[in-house]
Amino acid sequence: MPYFHDLEEKIRFMVLEVSRQLEDTLKILHDPLPARVDKVKLRDDRIDNYKSILENLCFSRIHGQSNLTKEKVDFIRAVNIISTNLERISDFSVNIVAQLDYLSRIEFLHAYNYPPFFEQISSALEQVVPGLFNKDLNRALNICRAEFMVDKLYKRSFDQIIEEMDSAAGKRDLITCLFIFRYLERMGDSLLNIGEAIIFSVFGEKLKVHQYQALVESLDSINNNIAIHDVGFESIWETRSGCRIGKIMDPSERSGRAVLFKEGKSRKIFREKENIEAWRKIFPSLVPRIYSYNQSGDNASMLLEFLQGCSLQETVLSQHRETLENTLFLLKETLSLVWSKTVKNTPVNAGFISQLIQRIDDVLMIHPEFNFSEVRIGSLATPSLDHVIKILSELENSLGASFSVFIHGDLNTNNIIYNQKEQQIYFVDLHRSCYGDYVQDVSVFLVSNYRKPVFDAGMRQAINHLNQEFFSFTRQFAAENGDLTYDARLALGLIRSFFTSTRFELNRDFALSMYQRALYLAEKLISHRNLPWKDFSMPADVFKYSRF
Amino acid sequence: MTREKKFSMETLQDRQTICKYLEALKDGFQNGRISLSNQDEILIVEPGGLIHFSIKARKKDDEIKLSINFRWEEQD
């Protein structure tokens, strides 16, 4: 790649300078000669300069050329990340040297085992250039591993210093030593960023080292013969809950067989795995197959069948009436089957208001004006938000469902996939599935449609129609199953979903329309609280969007 | 200069619940005293004497706006 010649040359020089910086820092810790200290400070200026030059080169390359391939752009981005972190390592060297002024005598530091830190960091630095230029993932991993080793060394030194803090003498020296080790530990963090930047330049996707390792393990566990270099990884989305989801393409298959890689906290991934297994017993074709599951510490990963199709949300936004009608038809059929097949005579309370309470701080952080006090207009008093929630919590206790069914748990329109060719719908993102109140799924579904920030009249009409149809269908299911409190529970579910959805909506008017709907329903429920719940009627207009 | 006092409220209601608010206002006019309050402010207004009263309505497509406005000067 002659085009990158200057970029390559500069990063090579920069790595060399930082390695020398580290060698000199180690020598200074043995023997702090003033001339050597000056050399480190001067070199830091040079390294800063390298960083600026590289930053300019990177940005001018990216912006100056319109025909750069993604691979080249990713390489440039990785170089920029690496140079930023190399400069940090040099800064930490200067910080370490500066700390020596606070030591009463250098021998104090010699009681601690600092050379292994330098060995780890230096040997990682040696791997940066070959790792980057040869797209060598093993070297990238070795660099990442150095951070782990440096952390271990730091822990040892830290524990030793803390223990010695109990003895009266030399506290100032002890704290200075601790600072020195802390800077070494931070060099390790910078190395991790460098290693991950190399992984990024290979994959073209930002993968944390533990995500990369999980991916390799997952692919290994399904006896996949593809070299990890050849795997196409396309990030699909990073969910709000922090799971990493990517689509992996097998280059050896012409049709481009894809699998879904999901990585996140093991508690959540494990729960999803269990739920998918439960779903497969109930309705096998509704959910993806699990190809592998791996757990490592607090994190876990899965390889899942990649389900072809488009989400119901995309279908609504495409405004293709026939496709929407087909999807809705299949959804109603599917839910009828699932609910009838899994119905149990076990009463259940969804705890909508408890769910709301858990998220209330997040809502008020974005919309503090939603926290209102009691309002009085003459003799008419409307309670404060706190009071409204308190009353709703009380009335919710007596408002459970008399039966339970197996629910999706997060039935928003993004989690329903429609495959037109197969005339099939699929459910995805199943970590919240359980035996529960189907009204949970109904309310999440209705509000997930409502909260789409689209204001085109035609599209809104389609959404209103979808909601109206879905509401009628579920209400009919309630009537057929003698569910007398359906309307009241749906009101609670909608209060919860409308209210908590505002935390993702910065358009004040749109957020307000959802918030006002939640309060309106709350007021209706509260004024009905001394009457039989079977007589409560859900105001159907509430999940229809109107322009005011 | 006297401090300006303000009270405002913005909610979503239906016919049934609107009537409760209109009733409360009606009672206030009848008694000659309407108190409006929230946590920050209590505003007591005493309608009396001549009151300017307007009703404005506008219909545009399916969107309808009906504004009711009362204005008067405070009695000595």
Side-chain angles (χ1 to χ4, degrees):
Chain A
M1 279 189 266
Y3 181 73
F4 290 127
H5 181 70
D6 47 358
L7 211 63
E8 285 184 19
E9 193 183 80
K10 292 285 180 304
I11 196 84
R12 277 179 204 275
F13 277 122
M14 193 176 180
V15 172
L16 274 176
E17 290 280 23
V18 175
S19 302
R20 286 190 197 125
Q21 188 75 323
L22 212 66
E23 283 166 25
D24 278 339
T25 308
L26 178 62
K27 285 181 190 160
I28 291 168
L29 296 188
H30 291 321
D31 184 7
L33 290 175
R36 206 171 270 150
V37 170
D38 288 345
K39 210 167 134 191
V40 163
K41 287 179 184 164
L42 268 175
R43 191 185 286 113
D44 185 54
D45 290 342
R46 230 164 31 234
I47 291 170
D48 282 359
N49 203 24
Y50 268 121
K51 192 233 163 189
S52 300
I53 293 169
L54 274 161
E55 193 176 276
N56 286 338
L57 281 173
C58 291
F59 280 85
S60 64
R61 288 290 172 277
I62 288 178
H63 290 290
Q65 292 284 323
S66 53
N67 56 350
L68 276 184
T69 58
K70 183 175 183 302
E71 192 189 349
K72 283 183 179 165
V73 173
D74 291 345
F75 176 80
I76 297 172
R77 284 174 64 185
V79 168
N80 193 40
I81 296 168
I82 292 170
S83 75
T84 304
N85 282 282
L86 287 171
E87 192 242 351
R88 267 186 212 149
I89 293 178
S90 173
D91 284 347
F92 295 140
S93 292
V94 176
N95 295 143
I96 289 172
V97 170
Q99 283 299 314
L100 299 182
D101 292 344
Y102 302 100
L103 276 181
S104 60
R105 52 196 178 85
I106 192 72
E107 290 73 22
F108 197 92
L109 179 70
H110 296 164
Y112 300 96
N113 196 15
Y114 55 85
F117 283 86
F118 288 87
E119 286 158 25
Q120 288 292 339
I121 298 163
S122 293
S123 115
L125 280 176
E126 280 170 21
Q127 314 213 38
V128 174
V129 168
L132 176 69
F133 292 125
N134 304 327
K135 293 188 178 293
D136 186 334
L137 285 168
N138 281 331
R139 287 185 192 272
L141 279 179
N142 285 339
I143 299 168
C144 295
R145 213 167 284 132
E147 189 255 357
F148 174 74
M149 299 305 290
V150 169
D151 272 2
K152 270 175 79 169
L153 292 167
Y154 175 65
K155 171 84 169 64
R156 207 176 295 160
S157 308
F158 178 87
D159 289 346
Q160 189 184 347
I161 290 171
I162 293 296
E163 207 180 303
E164 287 165 12
M165 288 290 259
D166 288 341
S167 63
K171 284 203 169 59
R172 185 191 162 104
D173 284 334
L174 281 171
I175 287 172
T176 305
C177 288
L178 187 61
F179 282 161
I180 290 173
F181 287 116
R182 177 78 176 131
Y183 285 125
L184 289 168
E185 186 267 336
R186 295 193 63 191
M187 285 184 184
D189 296 343
S190 295
L191 284 173
L192 180 64
N193 292 338
I194 292 173
E196 289 179 346
I198 298 175
I199 296 178
F200 165 71
S201 77
V202 178
F203 272 110
E205 281 294 334
K206 294 251 175 159
L207 278 182
K208 295 273 172 209
V209 64
H210 69 269
Q211 291 169 333
Y212 167 76
Q213 282 169 323
L215 176 61
V216 174
E217 276 171 34
S218 299
L219 288 172
D220 279 353
S221 64
I222 57 166
N223 295 323
N224 204 313
N225 293 323
I226 324 163
I228 190 76
H229 289 82
D230 300 331
V231 166
F233 186 90
E234 179 192 321
S235 186
I236 296 196
W237 60 82
E238 286 191 53
T239 62
R240 283 173 185 140
S241 50
C243 270
R244 188 69 202 251
I245 304 174
K247 180 182 173 186
I248 298 164
M249 275 77 66
D250 179 347
S252 62
E253 300 236 351
R254 218 174 275 165
S255 60
R257 183 181 71 121
V259 286
L260 196 78
F261 170 70
K262 202 164 182 176
E263 197 270 352
K265 289 283 158 220
S266 55
R267 197 169 41 92
K268 198 174 158 186
I269 301 284
F270 181 73
R271 206 163 50 208
E272 175 150 24
K273 172 187 164 274
E274 298 241 288
N275 287 339
I276 291 176
E277 284 163 359
W279 274 110
R280 290 198 70 81
K281 283 181 193 147
I282 299 163
F283 205 134
S285 61
L286 189 61
V287 296
R289 282 190 189 83
I290 300 173
Y291 294 134
S292 80
Y293 171 82
N294 290 284
Q295 199 169 328
S296 166
D298 288 344
N299 281 44
S301 60
M302 272 194 295
L303 280 183
L304 298 170
E305 178 185 7
F306 186 84
L307 300 166
Q308 300 290 340
C310 59
S311 73
L312 177 51
Q313 174 162 310
E314 290 164 333
T315 309
V316 173
L317 298 180
S318 73
Q319 290 201 73
H320 194 275
R321 192 67 184 240
E322 198 186 315
T323 317
L324 185 59
E325 291 296 337
N326 279 345
T327 317
L328 182 61
F329 173 78
L330 284 170
L331 178 64
K332 291 196 283 190
E333 290 287 299
T334 307
L335 288 175
S336 284
L337 268 168
V338 170
W339 291 346
S340 313
K341 200 171 167 185
T342 61
V343 67
K344 277 183 180 175
N345 283 329
T346 319
V348 65
N349 194 317
F352 294 114
I353 304 304
S354 319
Q355 296 174 26
L356 183 155
I357 291 168
Q358 279 172 25
R359 293 160 178 88
I360 198 162
D361 288 345
D362 294 340
V363 170
L364 296 180
M365 191 173 73
I366 304 288
H367 305 289
E369 71 278 15
F370 287 179
N371 193 7
F372 59 91
S373 60
E374 184 192 66
V375 171
R376 282 179 179 274
I377 297 174
S379 55
L380 182 70
T382 57
S384 66
L385 179 66
D386 280 349
H387 198 197
V388 166
I389 291 172
K390 191 169 173 277
I391 303 170
L392 291 177
S393 293
E394 284 164 11
L395 68 83
E396 180 173 59
N397 291 333
S398 60
L399 246 178
S402 57
F403 60 87
S404 42
V405 297
F406 201 65
I407 62 167
H408 180 289
D410 187 14
L411 194 69
N412 77 63
T413 44
N414 248 335
N415 291 334
I416 302 164
I417 310 286
Y418 170 61
N419 182 324
Q420 193 166 19
K421 202 169 135 204
E422 307 285 334
Q423 277 302 301
Q424 161 94 44
I425 62 161
Y426 306 108
F427 283 175
V428 295
D429 206 2
L430 299 153
H431 68 278
R432 291 205 183 96
S433 295
C434 60
Y435 273 92
D437 185 352
Y438 66 104
V439 167
Q440 167 99 32
D441 278 355
V442 178
S443 55
V444 166
F445 180 89
L446 293 171
V447 175
S448 81
N449 278 321
Y450 183 94
R451 72 174 180 214
K452 268 180 219 98
V454 288
F455 306 103
D456 167 81
M459 211 150 342
R460 273 288 154 193
Q461 211 177 1
I463 293 173
N464 287 346
H465 167 75
L466 180 64
N467 271 352
Q468 191 55 51
E469 285 286 307
F470 192 73
F471 172 62
S472 304
F473 153 72
T474 53
R475 199 184 222 180
Q476 194 184 334
F477 175 85
E480 285 165 3
N481 287 275
D483 184 0
L484 300 176
T485 60
Y486 165 86
D487 279 35
R489 296 196 327 277
L490 182 58
L492 282 174
L494 291 173
I495 290 169
R496 177 262 189 222
S497 290
F498 273 131
F499 190 82
T500 59
S501 291
T502 62
R503 74 194 194 278
F504 304 124
E505 185 52 70
L506 292 175
N507 174 339
R508 200 243 170 205
D509 289 344
F510 195 39
L512 189 66
S513 84
M514 292 194 269
Y515 166 74
Q516 287 181 337
R517 277 166 167 73
L519 288 186
Y520 165 68
L521 287 170
E523 214 173 301
K524 296 297 275 181
L525 277 177
I526 290 171
S527 62
H528 193 96
R529 71 185 137 155
N530 296 320
L531 301 166
W533 287 120
K534 67 178 175 57
D535 297 334
F536 181 84
S537 177
M538 176 72 207
D541 281 350
V542 84
F543 42 73
K544 262 198 212 163
Y545 174 76
S546 37
R547 282 189 303 279
F548 50 84
Chain B
M1 213 170 77
T2 51
R3 188 173 75 88
E4 189 187 32
K5 284 188 164 190
K6 271 184 175 175
F7 170 89
S8 78
M9 182 186 129
E10 202 181 338
T11 62
L12 201 62
Q13 306 291 335
D14 56 27
R15 278 193 303 148
Q16 198 189 344
T17 51
I18 288 284
C19 290
K20 290 199 291 184
Y21 287 93
L22 291 178
E23 280 289 332
L25 288 175
K26 189 200 87 179
D27 290 347
F29 277 105
Q30 250 168 7
N31 302 331
R33 191 173 193 271
I34 307 170
S35 100
L36 304 155
S37 69
N38 57 31
Q39 194 177 24
D40 308 315
E41 194 86 81
I42 300 177
L43 182 60
I44 296 172
V45 296
E46 294 178 335
L50 290 177
I51 298 170
H52 179 270
F53 172 50
S54 69
I55 299 181
K56 284 181 189 165
R58 195 188 66 184
K59 189 168 188 256
K60 194 180 166 196
D61 299 326
D62 55 352
E63 195 179 320
I64 293 144
K65 185 171 171 180
L66 178 67
S67 313
I68 304 176
N69 188 290
F70 306 98
R71 235 169 40 226
W72 67 91
E73 282 183 2
E74 200 157 43
Q75 303 292 295
D76 292 329

